Amino acid sequence: MFSHHREREQPIFSARAHVFQIDPTTKRNWIPASKHAVTVSFFYDANRNVYRIISVGGTKAIINCTVTPSMTFTKTSQKFGQWADSRANTVYGLGFATEQQLHQFSDKFKEVKDAARLAREKSQDKELVNTALTIAAPQVSSALSDELQSPPVMCVNGPEDKLFRSQSADITLSSEKERIKKMLSEGSICEMNVEAELFTLQDSNSKLVAALHEANANVEQWKKQLAAYQEETDRLREQVAELETHGGHGPSDLLKDELTQSLEELEALLKAKDEEIHILQSKKAEYHEMEHDRDEAIHRLRETEMRNSELERRIQNTEQNLNSSLEERDRMDAEIQRAIEILDIKIFDLNDLRQSLVKLIDK
């Protein structure tokens, strides 16, 4: 019962949130993946030593994401966060009811990411140890067999020197593999961070574009209203001037007061509209600033892609050097083996010659 219970995935954290996915065509707009808030859970698979984020809506899996050390959860607002899944080629977004729930999910995401990183490092160390043992085992067995079959004088200079050369080459290959893996990991992490930042900027840019279009439409409408108000104000001023010219009293004084009050109200309304126009102009400046940030993010993404291309080229060169080193090592091993065989034959001939000399001396 215990082994069966251990093989199943165990939930370690759950939260309720509205799930979104990035539009695969535009890569800018969010598409709701659920009509209402659903449960989003972290699961741990002890059998495979991996962590997953799973969310199910009805009978369909909305999120099925394996957490990797290169993932980053980004808070884009007080109640919204997102992360990119390169395996599924998408970006997930979560909208929470409170800011505290967002902080709890973000902290758990970081904790699970660190645990996944440690699990991967342990797995890589284990694979490297197994590979080293696999490579070293045939060399040790070959050395032991040569030691048993060769004369005593060859045990000092022959197989042990060969084993030392093989172990040195294995250590060099292992260090080269570690360096290649580190280079790939750094490049992928940098690329994922830049992609997440670019998605965030594109989302903010789309919202600002919509707000700017709406503001431009409102500005045009307000300009028309301002023109109408100005015409009405000019007309009222003309009426006030005309009444002042006539110098009438009684009902004209009351009309003058009403016109003056209407004029003051229109002037206050004009002032309020001017302030709104200034606010929209400041928002337009913020939009241009966001466009500048987006261009910078795109530029950084291109630089990252160029660095990744350079890393791939260097990795290919390193792999070619490794292959050349392996071929050179095999060639040296073959030459050493041939030299050992020749020395064995020479020593055997010397032994025969010594025995023949002893027999001649005895005679």
Side-chain angles (χ1 to χ4, degrees):
M1 180 180 296
F2 180 78
S3 61
H4 175 72
H5 178 72
R6 185 180 59 183
E7 291 176 354
R8 297 184 305 173
E9 288 183 323
Q10 298 295 325
I12 58 177
F13 179 80
S14 297
R16 292 188 64 81
H18 291 273
V19 181
F20 300 87
Q21 285 188 359
I22 201 72
D23 191 346
T25 56
T26 63
K27 297 293 185 181
R28 293 183 177 180
N29 302 322
W30 289 107
I31 300 177
S34 61
K35 296 181 180 179
H36 50 79
V38 295
T39 301
V40 182
S41 302
F42 287 92
F43 282 84
Y44 173 62
D45 189 349
N47 191 19
R48 296 189 300 162
N49 198 17
V50 296
Y51 294 86
R52 291 199 301 164
I53 302 176
I54 297 176
S55 178
V56 179
T59 58
K60 183 179 68 173
I62 301 174
I63 301 177
N64 186 4
C65 172
T66 301
V67 180
T68 62
S70 60
M71 290 183 177
T72 301
F73 185 79
T74 305
K75 300 176 186 177
T76 57
S77 66
Q78 293 182 350
K79 299 180 182 179
F80 192 86
Q82 66 184 45
W83 79 93
D85 186 0
S86 59
R87 295 183 179 179
N89 193 21
T90 187
V91 179
Y92 293 106
L94 298 180
F96 296 90
T98 62
E99 186 176 357
Q100 182 181 4
Q101 292 179 356
L102 174 61
H103 289 319
Q104 291 176 352
F105 188 88
S106 177
D107 294 340
K108 181 56 67 173
F109 194 99
K110 185 177 182 301
E111 179 183 342
V112 169
K113 184 181 74 171
D114 293 339
R117 178 179 56 81
L118 292 175
R120 173 174 290 187
E121 290 177 355
K122 291 181 180 179
S123 177
Q124 290 177 352
D125 292 341
K126 185 177 180 181
E127 290 178 359
L128 290 175
V129 170
N130 292 335
T131 304
L133 292 175
T134 304
I135 296 174
Q139 301 294 337
V140 174
S141 61
S142 176
L144 291 175
S145 61
D146 292 339
E147 183 178 1
L148 293 175
Q149 295 176 3
S150 301
V153 69
M154 295 302 297
C155 291
V156 177
N157 298 323
E160 289 187 0
D161 184 63
K162 179 182 177 182
L163 180 60
F164 177 75
R165 292 174 181 269
S166 300
Q167 290 177 347
S168 300
D170 293 336
I171 293 173
T172 304
L173 292 177
S174 299
S175 62
E176 289 292 334
K177 289 180 181 179
E178 286 293 335
R179 189 169 64 85
I180 292 171
K181 290 180 180 179
K182 184 177 180 181
M183 291 165 58
L184 284 174
S185 176
E186 290 177 354
S188 61
I189 290 172
C190 184
E191 185 176 0
M192 288 297 298
N193 290 334
V194 174
E195 286 181 356
E197 183 180 357
L198 180 61
F199 283 133
T200 304
L201 289 175
Q202 288 177 346
D203 183 42
S204 302
N205 183 39
S206 62
K207 292 179 181 178
L208 284 175
V209 168
L212 183 62
H213 289 325
E214 183 179 359
N216 289 333
N218 292 333
V219 167
E220 295 296 332
Q221 183 179 359
W222 288 339
K223 285 182 179 179
K224 294 179 181 179
Q225 291 179 0
L226 284 174
Y229 290 152
Q230 287 176 353
E231 292 178 359
E232 182 68 19
T233 301
D234 294 338
R235 187 179 63 81
L236 291 175
R237 284 178 178 172
E238 291 176 358
Q239 291 181 0
V240 171
E242 184 179 355
L243 290 172
E244 289 178 350
T245 303
H246 291 333
H249 302 282
S252 61
D253 293 335
L254 296 175
L255 181 60
K256 180 180 177 180
D257 294 337
E258 292 178 358
L259 291 174
T260 303
Q261 184 179 0
S262 300
L263 182 62
E264 291 176 353
E265 291 178 354
L266 287 173
E267 288 178 350
L269 184 60
L270 285 171
K271 186 177 180 181
K273 294 297 182 182
D274 287 336
E275 291 179 355
E276 291 181 358
I277 289 175
H278 287 307
I279 293 173
L280 290 175
Q281 287 177 350
S282 64
K283 288 184 178 180
K284 187 175 181 180
E286 292 178 358
Y287 165 72
H288 290 305
E289 185 178 354
M290 290 296 295
E291 280 190 340
H292 180 67
D293 293 340
R294 185 193 63 179
D295 295 337
E296 288 184 353
I298 293 174
H299 180 68
R300 288 198 300 270
L301 180 61
R302 289 175 180 173
E303 289 181 351
T304 304
E305 290 177 351
M306 293 176 62
R307 286 197 298 269
N308 286 341
S309 300
E310 179 66 19
L311 286 174
E312 290 178 356
R313 186 184 63 81
R314 291 171 60 185
I315 288 169
Q316 290 178 356
N317 293 335
T318 305
E319 289 179 349
Q320 292 177 359
N321 293 334
L322 286 175
N323 293 331
S324 300
S325 299
L326 288 173
E327 293 177 357
E328 182 66 18
R329 188 187 69 175
D330 293 339
R331 188 180 64 80
M332 291 295 295
D333 289 343
E335 291 180 357
I336 291 171
Q337 187 64 33
R338 286 197 299 271
I340 291 173
E341 292 176 354
I342 293 171
L343 287 174
D344 287 340
I345 295 172
K346 295 296 184 181
I347 290 172
F348 182 76
D349 292 340
L350 288 174
N351 288 331
D352 289 343
L353 180 60
R354 183 177 62 83
Q355 291 176 3
S356 298
L357 290 175
V358 169
K359 289 179 180 179
L360 289 174
I361 292 172
D362 291 339
K363 290 180 180 180

